[in-house]
Amino acid sequence: MVVREEARPGAGSAVPAVFRAAVATMHTAVLRPEIFCEEMPAPQRIAPYASALSADVTVDEEDLGTGRLILLHDPEGNDAWAGGTFRCVLYTRAEVELELVSDPLLGAVGWSWLTEALESNGATYEAASGSVTRVATESFGGMADEDGSAQVEIRASWTPVADEDGYVDVRPHVEAWAELMCTAVGLPPVPEGVAVLPSRRGQRGTA
């Protein structure tokens, strides 16, 4: 997985060392073989520096979920980021059973998937915020014989905690995002002690 660094026009030619180091840690994330992850263009208007990943969760050649993770960096800091200079921004969409859409607890459960993934991967963070959206689709008329479908969408952002020198290890945050996607589509967790193998499409993994 190669992660590209992008700077907002006018941000200056010298990319801060702390941002380069943070992006480098994104390269080291170990993801399940069901996840195909690649770089994507990062937004250039939110912060002076940004890097972004997109991913799909695929099982038996069926796409079950998709997501994006964006790392933002503003050397001047941002009050909305709890005074930090980095911010992670996440989007995840997953197919779910249609009856789950009417469950009043789905929103809280979806948010807990994120917070538990961050905790289990050792991703320290502050000032998390976000939303969980449920979407149900029904067909009518000439399409009435098609089955209904449902999706859950999770949008979130948080400030990763930096060390005393301002450096951030983003690897656990990437791995938490990947875990969230797998949980959302209903994949069982990998048993403790079982190695994660590389995807046939070249995703990084442990040997």
Side-chain angles (χ1 to χ4, degrees), residues 32-36 56-65 185 187-188 199-201:
R32 291 176 56 152
E34 296 91 346
I35 297 178
F36 175 59
D56 296 311
V57 182
T58 305
V59 177
D60 295 330
E61 300 185 355
E62 180 181 0
D63 290 335
L64 301 179
V185 302
L187 291 182
S199 162
R200 69 182 186 278
R201 291 188 285 183

Side-chain angles (χ1 to χ4, degrees), residues 182-194:
C182 290
T183 300
V185 302
L187 291 182
V190 176
E192 186 175 352
V194 175

Side-chain angles (χ1 to χ4, degrees), residues 33-44:
E34 296 91 346
I35 297 178
F36 175 59
C37 185
E38 60 186 351
E39 67 175 354
M40 62 172 285
Q44 298 185 9

Side-chain angles (χ1 to χ4, degrees), residues 9-147:
S13 58
V15 177
V18 291
F19 180 66
R20 286 189 177 276
V23 172
T25 65
M26 298 173 76
H27 295 220
T28 65
V30 177
L31 311 181
R32 291 176 56 152
E34 296 91 346
I35 297 178
F36 175 59
C37 185
E38 60 186 351
E39 67 175 354
M40 62 172 285
Q44 298 185 9
R45 296 183 179 181
I46 304 176
Y49 304 95
S51 185
L53 298 172
S54 67
D56 296 311
V57 182
T58 305
V59 177
D60 295 330
E61 300 185 355
E62 180 181 0
D63 290 335
L64 301 179
T66 188
R68 300 186 296 271
L69 181 69
I70 304 169
L71 177 67
L72 304 174
H73 177 57
D74 186 342
E76 300 299 322
N78 189 311
D79 291 340
W81 300 357
T85 62
F86 285 92
R87 189 76 172 172
C88 291
V89 179
L90 168 151
Y91 169 77
T92 294
R93 185 182 76 247
E95 300 288 335
V96 297
E97 297 294 331
L98 187 59
E99 56 267 23
L100 287 179
V101 172
S102 59
D103 188 337
L105 297 178
L106 180 60
V109 170
W111 186 253
S112 73
W113 291 339
L114 170 62
T115 57
E116 290 172 6
L118 289 166
E119 181 178 352
S120 65
N121 285 278
T124 54
Y125 66 96
E126 298 177 317
S129 63
S131 64
V132 179
T133 303
R134 62 194 78 188
V135 180
T137 302
E138 297 181 72
S139 301
F140 300 93
M143 299 173 60
D145 58 343
E146 296 188 8
D147 293 335

